[in-house]
Structures are given as C-alpha cells and as structure tokens.
Amino acid sequence: MANKEYAAGFYFELSFKGENAAFQEVSGIAKELNIEEVLCGGENRFKYRLPTISSSQNLVLKKASIPEGALLNDWCSNCIEDGLTSKITTQDISLSLLDATGMVYEKWTFHNAYPVKYAVSDLKSQENEIVIESIELAYTYFEIAPTSMFGNSFD
C-alpha cells in the first residue's frame, strides 16, 4: 500500500495581487449544480429532476484586525465604500493549501472576485478577545489546479 500524505487544513496562504495575506479562516469553497423539478403531464408518480446551472457560495475570509495598508483591505474598502458610483474592479484571488514542507498541495483560483461584505466581530467590554475582521467575496467561478502541477506525488 502506498504511503499517502494528507494536507492539514490549518496550513494555507491566500494571494492577492502577488501579496500574501494571512487569514485565520477561509470558508465558502463550494460549488454545486442546481436542479429544476419538472412535472410530466399524465405521469403523477414522480418529477423529473433536470440540471440547470452551477452556482457557488461567497468566499469568506476571517482574520485578526490589522492596521490599514494591506492591498486587499484597500481594494475592499474602495469597492464597498464607492458603491456603484465607480466601476468595481474584479480581481483573481488564489488560495493554496500547503503540505508539511510548505509546498503547494492544492490551489484554488477564484476568478473575477469582488468584495460584497465587510464586518467586524462584536466588541464586548466583559471579554478579552481579539477583534476579527470578516471579508466576503463574490466570484464568477473557481478552478482547482491539480496536485501534479506542483511536483507533489502522493500516489
């Protein structure tokens, strides 16, 4: 039996315009094929379930609050604050899952992403917690680069 190495879900990096951005949590990496149920005239025992279009969730990024200056923060701020008064500039965002040696195990590229939500965790005087920023990005689609592209072989 071949020795397989599995990547840990805590070892990842996000790249935006060539700048690595550290995040505590990334969620929303999902896509699905939607279906439409169609009734057939005269056949009452079942419905046909036909595929329609694929859809994906928003990508949600969470990190400890840091001072201004990061490219990702500036882009989000400009897109959300300007609303539709100026053109929203979409960007490609890359998320890489790393193996134990720091090499890319798997890479997702989210195309035509743009920020749709920015939030800060609740502020509570009774608790001593780090303030968490949350950025939510919509995107057109994502691609998964095969592991073989990075020179890793886990067969």
Side-chain angles (χ1 to χ4, degrees), residues 25-46:
E25 181 180 333
V26 177
S27 61
I29 306 171
K31 54 184 162 182
E32 64 182 288
L33 187 59
N34 296 321
I35 61 164
E36 177 182 359
E37 292 186 344
V38 178
L39 298 173
C40 180
E43 178 59 67
N44 297 325
R45 294 178 296 152
F46 59 89

Side-chain angles (χ1 to χ4, degrees), residues 115-126:
V116 293
K117 183 177 180 181
Y118 171 84
V120 175
S121 62
D122 294 342
L123 306 175
K124 301 176 186 176
S125 62
Q126 312 91 312

Side-chain angles (χ1 to χ4, degrees), residues 60-63 117-121 132-136:
V60 180
L61 313 172
K62 293 184 180 181
K63 65 178 176 153
K117 183 177 180 181
Y118 171 84
V120 175
S121 62
I132 302 295
E133 289 180 323
S134 176
I135 298 170
E136 197 166 322

Side-chain angles (χ1 to χ4, degrees), residues 13-23 70 94:
E13 67 182 11
L14 187 116
S15 179
F16 173 77
K17 292 179 122 180
E19 177 181 275
N20 287 338
F23 282 89
S94 295

Side-chain angles (χ1 to χ4, degrees), residues 72-88:
L72 182 62
N73 284 4
D74 293 344
W75 173 64
C76 289
S77 178
N78 291 338
C79 286
I80 293 173
E81 288 176 11
D82 290 349
L84 297 177
T85 60
S86 61
K87 180 180 176 187
I88 292 178

